[in-house]
Amino acid sequence: MSDLWLVAQREINVRIRTRGFLISLAVSAVLVAGLAFLPKLFSGPDTYSVGVVGTAPQSAELEVTPYPDEAAARQAVLDEKVDAALVGPGKVIANGELNQKLGLVLDNLHRSEQLKAAGVTLQPLQVESVGADARYQGVRAGIASLLVMTLFFLLIYSTMYVAMGVVEEKGSRIVELLLTSVRPWQLLGGKIVGLGLLGLINLVVVIVAGLGTSYAAGLAGDLPPGMAGIAVGTVVWFLLGYAFFAAMAAAFGSLVSRQEELNSVLTPMTMTLMVTYLVAFLAAAQPTGVPARILSLVPPFSSMVMPVRSAATEVPLWEIGLAGVLMVAAAAGVLVVGARIYERAVLRTGARVKLGEVVGRP
């Protein structure tokens, strides 16, 4: 295990200092922070300043400034000291078009005053939410959609680095020198662990940037309960998905000796990732649908679909546990097969090695 960790440290030291990794880390954090701040940017102000001539209305959404007459209120509107002015019964002065949300607030207040004057008392509508809490459904859908893109980007980005590293070492014949000091499984395991830790760093930065921006923008109250569990679950599912696809990437990458051949040999892996992404994207839109529930249990789709479902809606614990067990088994199986392919193909330079040759031979 010490040799494996030495290989992992080597991968981390080489990649973490590259400009590409640092730029991708910064871009990921900025993009997620920007997306987290968008609801605050487009939601409009929490309160509106309104000039009033006469009796001031009572509303938590209005900051009222009294004025002695209509002329003074009109001038305050023109000077943009207030967003609008309420003058007398049923008259509003606005500078240009009245803000739609403010208009609804003032209209509701006006109707309430008329009904009160007529001696009519209205009972508020009682709404009982059953199942998922409707207050958080929109936010949950947004978080799920963001998770789909984040997990797909990090998985394909990290696994491509694994494949490129394998081809680079094989093509330059450095692997022959390395295998004199470590075993093939240690070299492969160290590469997967090291690059996986870098992907994990990227994911943690994304989560911290998103949650930190949400709290800084005052949107913490809009986040659904259990965000810590969603964040931890996302990390766990990323690691499981990464182990599965990184083993595939290393196995396929060991079949070729040139970077130019890498894209074609990785087609099965990239197609599987694309299908997983599309399935997870559909699950974000319909997390309670039958396809989403079934595919969230099936590896490797579960590596993206289950965290997306968990973010979008409440998922029974037994489904999460079953999906986790199946995904662990699938990742372990792919790691064993991938290590065998890697060991048998990585020293065979020159022409592309056929998969059947290294899988079928003893």
Side-chain angles (χ1 to χ4, degrees), residues 34 77 82 92 157 159-160 179 183 204 206 225 250 286 342 348 358:
V77 172
V82 292
V92 178
Y157 173 83
T159 53
M160 284 298 293
L179 289 180
R183 296 180 180 180
V204 171
V206 166
Q286 297 180 340
Y342 175 84
R348 298 175 60 178
V358 291

Side-chain angles (χ1 to χ4, degrees), residues 276-351:
T276 304
Y277 167 75
L278 293 175
V279 170
F281 191 82
L282 293 176
Q286 297 180 340
T288 58
V290 175
R293 293 191 62 183
I294 294 175
L295 292 176
S296 66
L297 302 176
V298 180
F301 307 113
S302 55
S303 62
M304 289 179 64
V305 178
M306 184 55 79
V308 166
R309 273 193 67 205
S310 300
T313 188
E314 297 294 333
V315 180
L317 288 177
W318 72 265
E319 291 188 16
I320 298 176
L322 177 60
V325 170
L326 294 176
M327 189 63 206
V328 168
V334 174
L335 282 169
V336 170
V337 175
R340 184 175 304 167
I341 294 172
Y342 175 84
E343 182 178 0
R344 295 174 177 178
V346 74
L347 293 177
R348 298 175 60 178
T349 57

Side-chain angles (χ1 to χ4, degrees), residues 173-317:
R173 307 183 78 99
I174 294 177
V175 67
E176 299 176 9
L177 179 62
L178 293 174
L179 289 180
T180 61
S181 303
V182 297
R183 296 180 180 180
W185 71 268
Q186 292 173 326
L187 180 58
L188 175 61
K191 186 177 296 294
I192 291 176
V193 169
L195 295 176
L197 288 175
L198 292 180
L200 182 60
I201 290 172
N202 208 328
L203 178 60
V204 171
V205 168
V206 166
I207 293 174
V208 171
L211 293 179
T213 303
S214 298
Y215 279 92
L219 300 175
D222 297 329
L223 295 176
M227 278 303 301
I230 293 174
V232 172
T234 299
V235 170
V236 172
W237 284 107
F238 165 74
L239 292 176
L240 291 175
Y242 169 77
F244 184 96
F245 288 109
M248 288 184 66
F252 289 130
S254 67
L255 300 177
V256 297
S257 302
R258 298 186 303 167
Q259 298 288 353
E260 294 81 1
E261 300 174 302
L262 187 58
N263 286 334
S264 61
V265 79
L266 286 181
T267 299
M269 186 202 75
T270 53
M271 289 300 297
T272 305
L273 261 173
M274 284 300 302
V275 173
T276 304
Y277 167 75
L278 293 175
V279 170
F281 191 82
L282 293 176
Q286 297 180 340
T288 58
V290 175
R293 293 191 62 183
I294 294 175
L295 292 176
S296 66
L297 302 176
V298 180
F301 307 113
S302 55
S303 62
M304 289 179 64
V305 178
M306 184 55 79
V308 166
R309 273 193 67 205
S310 300
T313 188
E314 297 294 333
V315 180
L317 288 177

